[in-house]
């Protein structure tokens, strides 16, 4: 199994690049953001609870997200590998993921982080907010709150994987093709 984490702040292009990477490498795409938005659209109990957190720029509680990842993993046991997009987002989620993978006799091969300036991120998210209907992208105050949460709660995930010698940072500004090429170079060397 080849397991990859695509890491970076909100709007850094994780979702955009993941769509291309899963197609090229035949990995299963696990986006916790997409799973949560699906739950919201389906008006499930989990979705209704998650909506309040997402709309105010907060993270959904760890136990909810970890439970969702667990059941996604169970449903796709036969996958040749996973691309984790937007997960893990806290140190507790990173630990839960390591344990889950270890229980399946596998591990994270590498974490690739996309480096994008805050001004570029705001521009991208406000722009996406015009057409996506995503309430968390429509308001600059909520966007800035998501960056603060990223710094406080998500950046320890980078330290976790740096300590394990599994972390690479690449420029996330440039064309989608250029960034995809940089990602493929790293993955091809590891797969
Ligand atoms: P996510 O769905 O993960 O989304 P994201 O971080 O906002 O965006 P991403 O980095 O994927 O950016 P994208 O490619 O779309 O999270 C949403 C919310 O869900 C979180 O705030 C949180 O509340 C909750 N959540 C999710 N996972 C969670 C977890 N594990 N624990 C707790 N809560 C969780 O790109 C953004 C825009 O930029 C797009 O419009 C795109 O077209 C554009 N773009 C991409 N690449 C570009 C490039 N190279 N140049 C110019 N524009 C580019």
């Amino acid at each position: 199994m080849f397991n990859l984490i695509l890491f970076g702040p909100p709007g850094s292009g994780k979702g955009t690049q993941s769509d291309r990477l899963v197609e090229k490498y035949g990995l299963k795409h696990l986006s916790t953001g997409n799973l949560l938005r699906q739950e919201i659209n389906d008006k499930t109990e989990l979705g209704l609870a998650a909506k309040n957190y997402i709309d105010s720029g907060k993270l959904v509680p760890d136990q909810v997200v970890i439970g969702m990842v667990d059941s996604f993993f169970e449903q796709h046991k036969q996958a040749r590998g996973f691309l984790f997009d937007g997960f893990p987002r806290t140190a507790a989620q990173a630990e839960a993921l390591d344990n889950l993978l270890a229980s399946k006799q596998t591990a994270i091969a590498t974490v690739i982080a996309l480096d994008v300036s805050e001004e570029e991120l705001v521009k991208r998210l406000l722009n996406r907010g015009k057409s996506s209907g995503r309430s968390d992208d429509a308001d600059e105050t909520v966007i800035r709150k998501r960056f603060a949460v990223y710094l406080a709660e998500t950046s320890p995930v980078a330290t976790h994987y740096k300590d394990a010698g599994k972390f690479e940072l690449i420029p996330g500004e440039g064309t989608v093709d250029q960034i995809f090429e940089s990602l493929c170079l790293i993955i091809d060397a590891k797969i």
Side-chain angles (χ1 to χ4, degrees):
M1 238 188 197
F2 180 81
N3 302 303
L4 166 75
I5 296 174
L6 203 53
F7 189 78
S12 54
K14 303 182 295 288
T16 304
Q17 297 296 337
S18 292
D19 289 342
R20 293 177 157 219
L21 291 171
V22 291
E23 199 182 325
K24 173 161 176 164
Y25 293 101
L27 302 172
K28 194 79 209 161
H29 185 194
L30 198 170
S31 159
T32 42
N34 288 349
L35 291 177
L36 289 166
R37 282 186 289 278
Q38 188 60 50
E39 296 279 346
I40 292 171
N41 285 340
D42 294 346
K43 297 193 168 54
T44 64
E45 204 179 311
L46 191 158
L48 291 175
K51 189 174 185 329
N52 294 325
Y53 292 98
I54 293 178
D55 284 354
S56 58
K58 292 184 191 148
L59 293 180
V60 175
D62 284 338
Q63 67 273 24
V64 175
V65 176
I66 292 166
M68 213 173 59
V69 168
D70 242 330
S71 67
F72 186 92
F73 212 88
E74 273 307 302
Q75 286 161 29
H76 299 92
K77 276 191 208 146
Q78 311 310 330
R80 60 193 292 205
F82 287 86
L83 193 168
F84 296 97
D85 159 14
F87 178 86
R89 255 179 162 95
T90 64
Q93 291 181 17
E95 238 170 79
L97 178 61
D98 287 351
N99 292 337
L100 177 69
L101 294 176
S103 75
K104 319 276 178 203
Q105 278 82 47
T106 183
I108 290 297
T110 189
V111 178
I112 311 176
L114 300 170
D115 187 23
V116 180
S117 72
E118 188 163 322
E119 286 328 296
E120 169 71 11
L121 294 170
V122 173
K123 223 166 61 189
R124 287 184 189 181
L125 292 174
L126 285 174
N127 197 36
R128 182 172 67 184
K130 286 182 202 155
S131 55
S132 67
R134 277 181 58 171
S135 50
D136 57 340
D137 286 344
D139 177 341
E140 188 166 338
T141 316
V142 173
I143 291 174
R144 301 262 178 207
K145 164 83 183 164
R146 286 159 67 194
F147 296 150
V149 168
Y150 177 80
L151 260 186
E153 296 182 52
T154 305
S155 43
V157 174
T159 312
H160 176 91
Y161 289 107
K162 273 180 201 160
D163 290 348
K166 292 182 176 180
F167 189 87
E168 309 230 19
L169 180 70
I170 64 161
E173 291 185 38
T175 66
V176 170
D177 283 346
Q178 284 166 340
I179 298 158
F180 183 64
E181 215 173 287
S182 313
L183 287 164
C184 292
L185 277 176
I186 297 177
I187 296 168
D188 288 341
K190 308 238 179 221
I191 208 162

